[in-house]
Amino acid sequence: MPSPSAALYRVAASGPADVSGVEALFAGGLDPKTVVAVLGKTEGNGCVNDFTRGYATSAFEALFARHGATGVSIVMSGGTEGALSPHWTVFCRAKVEAAPARALAIGVSRTPDMLPENLGRRAQIKLVADGVRKAMADAGIVEPGDVHFVQIKCPLLTLARVTETYARGETTVTRETLKSMGFSRGASALGVAVALGELDLDGIDDTDICNRLDLFSGRASTSAGVELVDHEIIVLGMSDAWSGPLLIDHAVMQDAIDTASVRAAYERLPPGKLAAVLAKAEPDPSGAVRGRRHTMLDDSDIAATRHARAFVGGVLSGLFGMTDLYVSGGAEHQGPPGGGPVAIIVEKATA
Amino acid sequence: MPSPSAALYRVAASGPADVSGVEALFAGGLDPKTVVAVLGKTEGNGCVNDFTRGYATSAFEALFARHGATGVSIVMSGGTEGALSPHWTVFCRAKVEAAPARALAIGVSRTPDMLPENLGRRAQIKLVADGVRKAMADAGIVEPGDVHFVQIKCPLLTLARVTETYARGETTVTRETLKSMGFSRGASALGVAVALGELDLDGIDDTDICNRLDLFSGRASTSAGVELVDHEIIVLGMSDAWSGPLLIDHAVMQDAIDTASVRAAYERLPPGKLAAVLAKAEPDPSGAVRGRRHTMLDDSDIAATRHARAFVGGVLSGLFGMTDLYVSGGAEHQGPPGGGPVAIIVEKATA
Amino acid sequence: MPSPSAALYRVAASGPADVSGVEALFAGGLDPKTVVAVLGKTEGNGCVNDFTRGYATSAFEALFARHGATGVSIVMSGGTEGALSPHWTVFCRAKVEAAPARALAIGVSRTPDMLPENLGRRAQIKLVADGVRKAMADAGIVEPGDVHFVQIKCPLLTLARVTETYARGETTVTRETLKSMGFSRGASALGVAVALGELDLDGIDDTDICNRLDLFSGRASTSAGVELVDHEIIVLGMSDAWSGPLLIDHAVMQDAIDTASVRAAYERLPPGKLAAVLAKAEPDPSGAVRGRRHTMLDDSDIAATRHARAFVGGVLSGLFGMTDLYVSGGAEHQGPPGGGPVAIIVEKATA
Amino acid sequence: MPSPSAALYRVAASGPADVSGVEALFAGGLDPKTVVAVLGKTEGNGCVNDFTRGYATSAFEALFARHGATGVSIVMSGGTEGALSPHWTVFCRAKVEAAPARALAIGVSRTPDMLPENLGRRAQIKLVADGVRKAMADAGIVEPGDVHFVQIKCPLLTLARVTETYARGETTVTRETLKSMGFSRGASALGVAVALGELDLDGIDDTDICNRLDLFSGRASTSAGVELVDHEIIVLGMSDAWSGPLLIDHAVMQDAIDTASVRAAYERLPPGKLAAVLAKAEPDPSGAVRGRRHTMLDDSDIAATRHARAFVGGVLSGLFGMTDLYVSGGAEHQGPPGGGPVAIIVEKATA
């Protein structure tokens, strides 16, 4: 009896355009058409002028074009501060001849195109929530509690989109491109929270977005990209309909040094080999961690998000004993202020 | 029966010149004359143009002058990357009416002035080794194995010192001020290793200094300062002749994520309250941690030492659950390449 | 017949706390009590965590205290990017036995303390305008057209000041310290514009402050400091009542490469020795200079103000053939967007 | 009577991979096969981890492949600090029906592959000198004095190349990749000097390379790239055999603010439209400009080369009234210490 099964490869990158490790996987027999998504950590600054993300994306687009793979979701997160290691995590799914047995399930979806006036407003939350439900269905996950990580790539406002919107007599939530990225990430994260039952859409006002930090999802990871006007959604969770050795769970770090929550999640998983860690990090907006001042928000030499990735990267690398973790910054409504979601995927030991 | 006893205060700093917390300790009854040393973490870049160290030092000098305290060793380490918190650690010692009972002992010494031609050479190693032995005697520590941390402030070469040396027909190990700091730190660390029996002076050549990275002390922490031509030495260890609730042990991290060694040292200490953590961090010179590439040494936007402090700061903060740790960079011959010494001081729980 | 006469010294600094050059002036006969103001360029980042300004200020305060000089206005501007050279410009005034002959005049004033609710609002504009008129009177300048540079140090909002204001039932223009600095600088600059007749107070609304960039003074240079709640004002201009060899004029750069305006102002002055250049610089908010894109506002590695100082520092250093210029960033309502005021002081050649 | 004629296009880039402006030129009738070279300024940091150069190069390679143009020399220089504007300068040459009339001539050549042991040594100087002479011949330039700018792309050492060299029993000038880039740039620049008669090969020792700063070419601009093992050479000069409206001259800035030399060169050219400015910049190694200290070499937050480009970019932009200049850093043996070559190309006004 065939069942869907997930596979995952963590591949080292010697630079932003180095896709040779993935090409080697294809040469070694991996079917490029089974690739669903690539989550990459590139060595840029992860901020406005980080061109390593675009460079990596164009290298992967060329790779997949050469191999006839289409529709792969490519999510690049810049910033490998500290000893974090640049790498690609390649997610695959295929039908295998194996009985279903509760395992990691991967689902994807795309929302309809979104009008610019809806960005950063309740309409985006609703649109994303519908998309997450669709990706859950694609993954064969019924219970929201079985979802452990939702990665979303969302659109942003450009000058042209803003102009066109006002020409139609509508308004946008902001006229600034950079701010629109935060609004889009934040609304998308709240969309995850609504789909997973963490929050009720009726309890969220337009003005709460990027404002009420107590509203968040413990399983959302969102990033904004200029190249799309819809949303690419990847859902990772557990499903009884899937098979394979991979299992996932998650923690919600309450602050930057909350290893207890992460350790507890790790211990809920069976013994095995660590396959991937996916986390969000941000500088505590209060300016302190457990009552002690940090200086990330006042440092005009290094962006606060770079500090946060380096530090939380250290916290998690120390705990997991490995440095090729996906630690991403910019965590509006993704976990509590100063904390963030952490998903852990293990390959269970075979008897 | 009176015995010497050590006290230690970790004091928050709201900025590089904020000594108000220490002033409050004095107002609250702490005798300024018992202060032996201050180890500070300031929020500069920890590199060449870090003026927060000088600013803090001048604020402390004025404070101690106002309070009639003399001979206090002031060691400022710049760089509170990530969530590391700027703070001062104030070390005191006083005679108390208590029977000796193995406890934290603090000893200090100063070496004779050093000629510039000896900097970064075997003569400096020998000079420092003698000084460390003197500080051990001052602390009442006989066994080298009872020493767990040696902080040294060492001189550097200035243009004037180099010129004067060559005028006398002698040579210096380098003509560059910045490089001389590394040589001085390295030779001082090797001096600690010799004093503590970790290395044999006869086995070290001049050319090994800052070159043979396999030679190191697991208990040295050294920094160079322009204001002195001798060495200020602070020895922290355990002594049967002292009393008080403080205890110290140390670990040698083998790489940036070696929490096992640190955890083991922490567990060797009895239960109690964490009083201080003193550590050295550096980017792994091999360019990788456990076989996975890091990008610290190739980042022309952020100094590698800043990356290393942020990351190792995260590793240790996650492990200890606290962010006001003394994590210092620039670790020539202080621990193995990419690793470093970590001293842990606890206040034992009273029954 | 005695007349007031201005003197000016440009003194090199080997570091933020190096006041030895000014001390040498005193040792050489300069009366410390004639010092009216010090404008300094220090080698910090000129942004939030630039502690070189406070370090320099405390060194000067100690210097003036040692020499019994009181009431000296100390203005420190961080940032000597590119080849700009750290230095102090010391402004003095004294009665001399010489007939008045149109020359550089210096006037100072302080406003009454300002309530926090007035910061960044029309009330501050009015308060500063009154203060500028008072400083003009102090300088013996009647015609606003004779004023060529007004340096203002203005207050900012702290958390405590905001809290206290709301406790009284009033509101502040912002709750954020950093933003309050911009509002205070902007309103102060508009106050200069009103006093000098460049703008009419009736034409300025509260909402125009830091918003309508077409409103500006061509002679204002303002900076915010946490240590004061009033305003320190220094007016530089020409007066028939003064004597001495110094003369001043000014230009308003229309963009970052507008050397024509500066050259014209320089040529309006008689031949002589360049004594000082005081300028403001900012990245063009349009994102372009003469239609060509710049990348200052998108660079997450280097603050835009640092880029602007380096570049405009180059423009002016190339033109004047000297690198110890006072080029300061943060130019809200100080010159047109992307441009800024430039004051030039020369010592006329004696026959 | 046909003659070769040069054309030159300065094209704005909205990002490192934006070749749309050049594509538009092709669409507008420019024959892609006439393109000889592209010199680009990209908005990276111009240092080790500047991936904008590789990103831009790959975008151009794809563009030229689509249009069937081969052998185009692509030279990318990172760093558009200050208001410098990212852009491409496209150099073309074609036969036109016009009588020869002294005009800008472009010649290119490639050297034979170079063995790694020759890098940074006299053998490289000789190899490059021969290549420059070949490119001069290709340009139809006989007199070295008619050459005004030589752009060279030279190889560097990689770990693999070093290992292979030592395996053959030879040695390399250094084992460090980064240092090898400086040696290769320096030896290449000296090769230009030898070819142009500025220096005599017999007077240069291996140990002079990157050491004796008084030896330099006033017309060389060199950059190292990992992708080649030979040298790509582009010579720009004046030739009686060419035709067209473009003319070139050059200056050698003696220090960072030497506008007099540049102005003189500009004035030697006939009136016309400025077509391109190509310059090298570096922080003065003495630590001062005209006796006044600069802080570029002590800034651990911003690379010294970034400071230098921003500042010299300002100097030249102020002088030329335009910001899309090719200002490149890393100037070993390219102009005097702290100064550098500046080539100016104008399109002469037609009657």
Side-chain angles (χ1 to χ4, degrees):
Chain A
M1 188 181 114
S3 61
S5 179
L8 178 160
Y9 304 88
R10 243 166 50 246
V11 181
S14 69
D18 175 26
V19 299
S20 63
V22 179
E23 193 128 43
L25 287 176
F26 295 164
L30 177 67
D31 181 357
K33 295 188 176 61
T34 63
V35 178
V36 178
V38 176
L39 264 67
K41 283 301 311 178
T42 60
E43 55 205 284
N45 63 25
C47 301
V48 180
N49 63 327
D50 181 351
F51 299 103
T52 63
R53 294 173 300 210
Y55 194 14
T57 299
S58 78
F60 269 103
E61 286 171 347
L63 173 75
F64 290 128
R66 284 197 300 277
H67 288 274
T70 55
V72 180
S73 195
I74 302 172
V75 179
M76 289 297 154
S77 163
T80 56
E81 291 82 6
L84 288 174
S85 191
H87 71 286
W88 323 118
T89 307
V90 181
F91 291 91
C92 305
R93 66 177 182 191
K95 288 272 175 202
V96 294
E97 280 305 319
R102 193 165 175 75
L104 172 67
I106 304 174
V108 295
S109 74
R110 297 192 74 134
T111 66
D113 289 354
M114 181 175 70
L115 288 169
E117 55 264 44
N118 291 339
L119 186 147
R121 290 172 174 157
R122 293 179 80 250
Q124 185 176 16
I125 299 178
K126 193 173 174 320
L127 189 73
V128 169
D130 289 343
V132 171
R133 288 186 199 105
K134 212 173 118 195
M136 284 172 61
D138 182 56
I141 299 177
V142 178
E143 286 302 316
D146 280 342
V147 172
H148 292 288
F149 199 72
V150 182
Q151 177 69 43
I152 295 182
K153 199 162 162 186
C154 52
L156 51 84
L157 296 178
T158 60
L159 183 57
R161 289 173 196 169
V162 170
T163 307
E164 174 271 331
T165 306
Y166 279 83
R168 284 188 288 106
E170 302 291 335
T171 66
T172 54
V173 68
T174 176
R175 285 171 174 275
E176 295 177 41
T177 297
L178 187 62
K179 279 196 179 170
S180 79
M181 296 173 75
F183 276 112
S184 189
R185 287 193 302 254
S188 294
L190 292 172
V192 175
V194 167
L196 302 187
E198 299 174 293
L199 295 173
D200 187 342
L201 182 57
D202 294 340
I204 308 174
D205 284 333
D206 276 356
T207 54
D208 294 337
I209 300 171
C210 287
N211 201 18
R212 274 193 56 197
L213 303 178
D214 59 308
L215 303 177
F216 61 84
S217 168
R219 290 169 268 174
S221 170
T222 66
S223 69
V226 74
E227 70 277 21
L228 75 179
V229 292
D230 59 350
H231 299 76
E232 285 183 35
I233 301 175
I234 307 165
V235 160
L236 303 178
M238 293 295 292
S239 168
D240 292 333
W242 287 54
S243 63
L246 296 174
L247 303 165
I248 188 170
D249 207 323
H250 82 279
V252 181
M253 291 178 80
Q254 298 301 311
D255 62 25
I257 58 175
D258 176 20
T259 50
S261 298
V262 181
R263 198 178 298 275
Y266 196 20
E267 288 171 358
R268 283 196 299 271
L269 288 160
K273 203 176 107 194
L274 192 60
V277 175
L278 312 170
K280 294 294 283 193
E282 67 172 5
D284 202 301
S286 75
V289 173
R290 301 196 187 171
R292 280 159 184 132
R293 182 170 73 99
H294 69 74
T295 59
M296 295 188 259
L297 297 169
D298 286 338
D299 189 340
S300 306
D301 298 314
I302 300 179
T305 49
R306 303 202 74 180
H307 275 292
R309 273 191 302 267
F311 187 83
V312 176
V315 170
L316 295 175
S317 294
L319 198 153
F320 288 110
M322 137 181 151
T323 57
D324 46 347
L325 313 178
Y326 181 87
V327 180
S328 165
E332 300 87 352
H333 300 299
Q334 298 150 66
V342 179
I344 310 166
I345 303 176
V346 297
E347 185 180 335
K348 68 182 163 211
T350 46
Chain B
M1 189 181 112
S3 61
S5 179
L8 178 161
Y9 304 88
R10 243 167 49 246
V11 181
S14 69
D18 175 25
V19 299
S20 64
V22 179
E23 193 129 42
L25 287 176
F26 295 164
L30 177 66
D31 180 357
K33 294 186 178 62
T34 64
V35 178
V36 178
V38 177
L39 263 67
K41 283 301 311 179
T42 59
E43 55 206 281
N45 62 25
C47 302
V48 181
N49 63 328
D50 182 351
F51 299 103
T52 63
R53 295 172 300 207
Y55 194 14
T57 298
S58 79
F60 269 104
E61 286 171 347
L63 173 75
F64 290 128
R66 284 198 300 277
H67 288 274
T70 54
V72 181
S73 194
I74 301 173
V75 179
M76 289 297 154
S77 164
T80 56
E81 291 81 5
L84 287 174
S85 191
H87 70 286
W88 323 119
T89 307
V90 182
F91 291 90
C92 305
R93 66 177 182 190
K95 288 272 174 200
V96 295
E97 280 304 320
R102 192 166 175 76
L104 173 67
I106 305 173
V108 295
S109 74
R110 296 192 75 134
T111 66
D113 289 354
M114 180 175 69
L115 288 169
E117 56 263 44
N118 291 340
L119 186 146
R121 290 171 173 158
R122 292 179 81 250
Q124 185 176 15
I125 300 178
K126 194 175 172 320
L127 188 73
V128 168
D130 290 342
V132 171
R133 288 185 198 104
K134 213 173 118 193
M136 284 172 62
D138 182 56
I141 300 177
V142 178
E143 287 300 319
D146 281 341
V147 172
H148 292 288
F149 199 72
V150 182
Q151 176 70 42
I152 294 183
K153 199 162 161 185
C154 52
L156 50 86
L157 296 178
T158 59
L159 183 57
R161 290 173 195 169
V162 170
T163 307
E164 175 270 332
T165 306
Y166 279 83
R168 286 188 287 105
E170 301 291 335
T171 65
T172 54
V173 68
T174 176
R175 287 170 173 274
E176 296 177 40
T177 296
L178 187 63
K179 279 195 179 170
S180 79
M181 297 173 74
F183 276 112
S184 189
R185 287 193 301 255
S188 295
L190 292 171
V192 175
V194 166
L196 301 187
E198 300 174 293
L199 295 173
D200 187 343
L201 182 56
D202 292 341
I204 309 174
D205 285 333
D206 276 356
T207 54
D208 294 337
I209 300 172
C210 289
N211 202 18
R212 273 193 57 197
L213 303 178
D214 60 309
L215 303 177
F216 61 84
S217 168
R219 289 168 269 173
S221 170
T222 66
S223 68
V226 75
E227 70 277 21
L228 76 178
V229 292
D230 60 349
H231 299 74
E232 285 183 35
I233 301 176
I234 307 165
V235 160
L236 302 177
M238 293 295 293
S239 168
D240 292 333
W242 287 54
S243 63
L246 296 174
L247 304 165
I248 187 170
D249 208 323
H250 81 279
V252 181
M253 292 178 79
Q254 298 302 310
D255 62 25
I257 57 176
D258 176 19
T259 50
S261 298
V262 182
R263 198 179 298 275
Y266 196 20
E267 288 170 1
R268 283 195 299 270
L269 287 162
K273 202 176 106 193
L274 192 61
V277 176
L278 312 170
K280 294 294 283 193
E282 67 171 6
D284 202 302
S286 74
V289 174
R290 300 195 187 173
R292 281 160 184 133
R293 183 172 71 102
H294 68 75
T295 59
M296 296 189 258
L297 297 169
D298 286 338
D299 190 342
S300 305
D301 298 313
I302 300 179
T305 50
R306 304 202 74 180
H307 276 291
R309 274 190 302 267
F311 187 83
V312 176
V315 170
L316 295 175
S317 294
L319 197 154
F320 288 109
M322 134 181 153
T323 58
D324 46 347
L325 313 178
Y326 181 88
V327 180
S328 165
E332 299 87 352
H333 299 300
Q334 299 151 64
V342 180
I344 309 166
I345 303 176
V346 296
E347 185 180 336
K348 68 181 163 209
T350 46
Chain C
M1 187 180 115
S3 61
S5 180
L8 178 161
Y9 303 89
R10 243 168 48 246
V11 181
S14 69
D18 175 26
V19 298
S20 64
V22 180
E23 192 128 43
L25 286 177
F26 295 164
L30 177 65
D31 180 357
K33 295 188 177 60
T34 64
V35 178
V36 178
V38 176
L39 264 68
K41 283 301 310 178
T42 60
E43 55 207 283
N45 63 23
C47 302
V48 181
N49 63 328
D50 181 351
F51 299 103
T52 62
R53 295 172 300 208
Y55 194 15
T57 298
S58 78
F60 269 104
E61 285 171 348
L63 173 76
F64 290 128
R66 282 198 300 277
H67 288 274
T70 54
V72 181
S73 195
I74 302 172
V75 179
M76 290 296 155
S77 164
T80 56
E81 291 81 6
L84 288 174
S85 190
H87 70 286
W88 323 119
T89 306
V90 181
F91 291 90
C92 304
R93 67 177 182 191
K95 288 273 175 202
V96 296
E97 281 304 319
R102 192 166 176 75
L104 173 67
I106 304 173
V108 295
S109 74
R110 296 192 76 133
T111 66
D113 289 354
M114 180 175 70
L115 288 169
E117 55 264 43
N118 290 340
L119 186 147
R121 289 171 173 158
R122 293 179 79 250
Q124 185 177 15
I125 300 178
K126 194 175 173 316
L127 188 74
V128 168
D130 290 343
V132 171
R133 288 185 198 103
K134 212 172 118 194
M136 284 172 62
D138 183 57
I141 300 177
V142 178
E143 287 300 318
D146 280 341
V147 173
H148 291 289
F149 199 72
V150 182
Q151 177 70 44
I152 294 182
K153 199 163 162 184
C154 52
L156 51 85
L157 296 178
T158 59
L159 183 57
R161 290 173 194 169
V162 170
T163 307
E164 174 270 331
T165 306
Y166 279 83
R168 285 188 287 104
E170 302 291 336
T171 65
T172 54
V173 68
T174 176
R175 286 169 174 274
E176 296 177 40
T177 295
L178 187 63
K179 279 196 180 171
S180 79
M181 296 173 75
F183 276 111
S184 189
R185 286 193 302 254
S188 295
L190 292 172
V192 175
V194 167
L196 301 187
E198 299 173 294
L199 295 174
D200 188 342
L201 181 57
D202 294 339
I204 309 174
D205 285 333
D206 275 356
T207 54
D208 293 338
I209 300 171
C210 288
N211 201 17
R212 273 193 56 197
L213 302 178
D214 59 308
L215 303 176
F216 60 85
S217 167
R219 290 168 269 174
S221 170
T222 66
S223 69
V226 74
E227 70 277 21
L228 76 179
V229 291
D230 60 349
H231 299 75
E232 285 183 35
I233 301 175
I234 306 165
V235 160
L236 302 177
M238 293 296 292
S239 167
D240 292 333
W242 287 53
S243 64
L246 296 175
L247 302 165
I248 188 170
D249 207 323
H250 82 279
V252 181
M253 291 177 81
Q254 299 301 309
D255 62 26
I257 57 176
D258 176 20
T259 50
S261 298
V262 181
R263 199 178 298 274
Y266 196 21
E267 288 171 359
R268 283 194 299 272
L269 287 162
K273 202 177 106 193
L274 192 60
V277 176
L278 312 170
K280 293 294 282 193
E282 67 172 7
D284 202 301
S286 74
V289 174
R290 301 195 187 172
R292 280 158 184 133
R293 183 170 73 101
H294 69 75
T295 60
M296 297 188 257
L297 297 170
D298 286 338
D299 189 341
S300 306
D301 298 313
I302 299 180
T305 49
R306 304 202 75 180
H307 276 292
R309 272 191 302 267
F311 187 84
V312 175
V315 170
L316 295 175
S317 294
L319 197 153
F320 289 109
M322 139 180 149
T323 58
D324 47 346
L325 313 177
Y326 180 88
V327 180
S328 165
E332 300 87 353
H333 300 299
Q334 298 151 67
V342 180
I344 310 165
I345 303 176
V346 297
E347 185 180 337
K348 69 183 163 208
T350 45
Chain D
M1 188 181 110
S3 60
S5 180
L8 178 161
Y9 304 88
R10 244 167 49 245
V11 181
S14 68
D18 175 27
V19 298
S20 64
V22 180
E23 193 129 42
L25 287 177
F26 295 163
L30 177 66
D31 180 357
K33 295 189 178 59
T34 64
V35 177
V36 178
V38 177
L39 264 66
K41 282 302 310 179
T42 60
E43 55 206 285
N45 63 24
C47 302
V48 180
N49 63 327
D50 182 350
F51 299 103
T52 63
R53 294 172 300 208
Y55 194 14
T57 299
S58 78
F60 269 103
E61 286 172 347
L63 173 75
F64 290 128
R66 283 198 300 277
H67 288 274
T70 54
V72 180
S73 194
I74 302 173
V75 179
M76 290 295 154
S77 163
T80 56
E81 291 81 6
L84 288 174
S85 191
H87 70 286
W88 323 118
T89 306
V90 182
F91 291 90
C92 305
R93 67 177 182 191
K95 288 273 175 200
V96 296
E97 281 304 320
R102 193 166 174 74
L104 173 66
I106 304 173
V108 295
S109 74
R110 297 192 76 133
T111 66
D113 290 352
M114 180 175 69
L115 288 169
E117 56 264 43
N118 291 340
L119 186 146
R121 289 171 173 158
R122 293 179 80 250
Q124 184 176 16
I125 300 179
K126 193 173 172 320
L127 189 72
V128 168
D130 290 342
V132 171
R133 288 186 199 103
K134 212 173 119 195
M136 284 172 62
D138 182 57
I141 300 176
V142 178
E143 287 300 318
D146 280 341
V147 173
H148 293 288
F149 199 72
V150 182
Q151 177 70 43
I152 294 182
K153 199 163 162 185
C154 52
L156 50 85
L157 296 178
T158 59
L159 183 57
R161 291 172 195 169
V162 170
T163 307
E164 174 270 331
T165 306
Y166 279 83
R168 284 187 287 105
E170 302 292 335
T171 65
T172 54
V173 69
T174 176
R175 287 170 174 272
E176 296 176 41
T177 296
L178 187 62
K179 279 196 180 169
S180 79
M181 296 173 75
F183 276 111
S184 189
R185 286 192 302 255
S188 295
L190 292 172
V192 174
V194 167
L196 301 187
E198 300 173 293
L199 295 173
D200 187 343
L201 181 56
D202 293 340
I204 308 173
D205 284 333
D206 276 356
T207 55
D208 294 337
I209 300 171
C210 288
N211 202 18
R212 273 193 57 197
L213 304 177
D214 60 308
L215 302 177
F216 60 85
S217 168
R219 290 168 268 174
S221 170
T222 65
S223 68
V226 74
E227 70 276 21
L228 75 179
V229 292
D230 60 349
H231 299 75
E232 284 183 36
I233 300 175
I234 307 165
V235 160
L236 302 178
M238 293 295 293
S239 167
D240 293 332
W242 287 54
S243 62
L246 296 175
L247 303 165
I248 186 169
D249 207 321
H250 82 279
V252 181
M253 291 177 81
Q254 298 301 309
D255 62 25
I257 57 176
D258 176 20
T259 50
S261 298
V262 182
R263 198 178 299 275
Y266 196 21
E267 288 170 0
R268 283 194 299 272
L269 287 162
K273 202 176 107 194
L274 192 61
V277 176
L278 313 169
K280 294 293 284 192
E282 68 171 6
D284 202 302
S286 74
V289 173
R290 300 195 187 173
R292 281 159 183 133
R293 183 172 71 101
H294 69 73
T295 60
M296 295 188 258
L297 296 169
D298 286 337
D299 190 341
S300 306
D301 299 313
I302 300 179
T305 49
R306 303 202 74 179
H307 276 291
R309 272 190 302 266
F311 187 83
V312 176
V315 170
L316 294 175
S317 294
L319 198 153
F320 289 109
M322 133 181 154
T323 58
D324 46 348
L325 313 178
Y326 181 87
V327 180
S328 165
E332 300 87 351
H333 300 298
Q334 298 151 66
V342 180
I344 310 166
I345 304 176
V346 298
E347 184 180 337
K348 69 184 163 206
T350 45

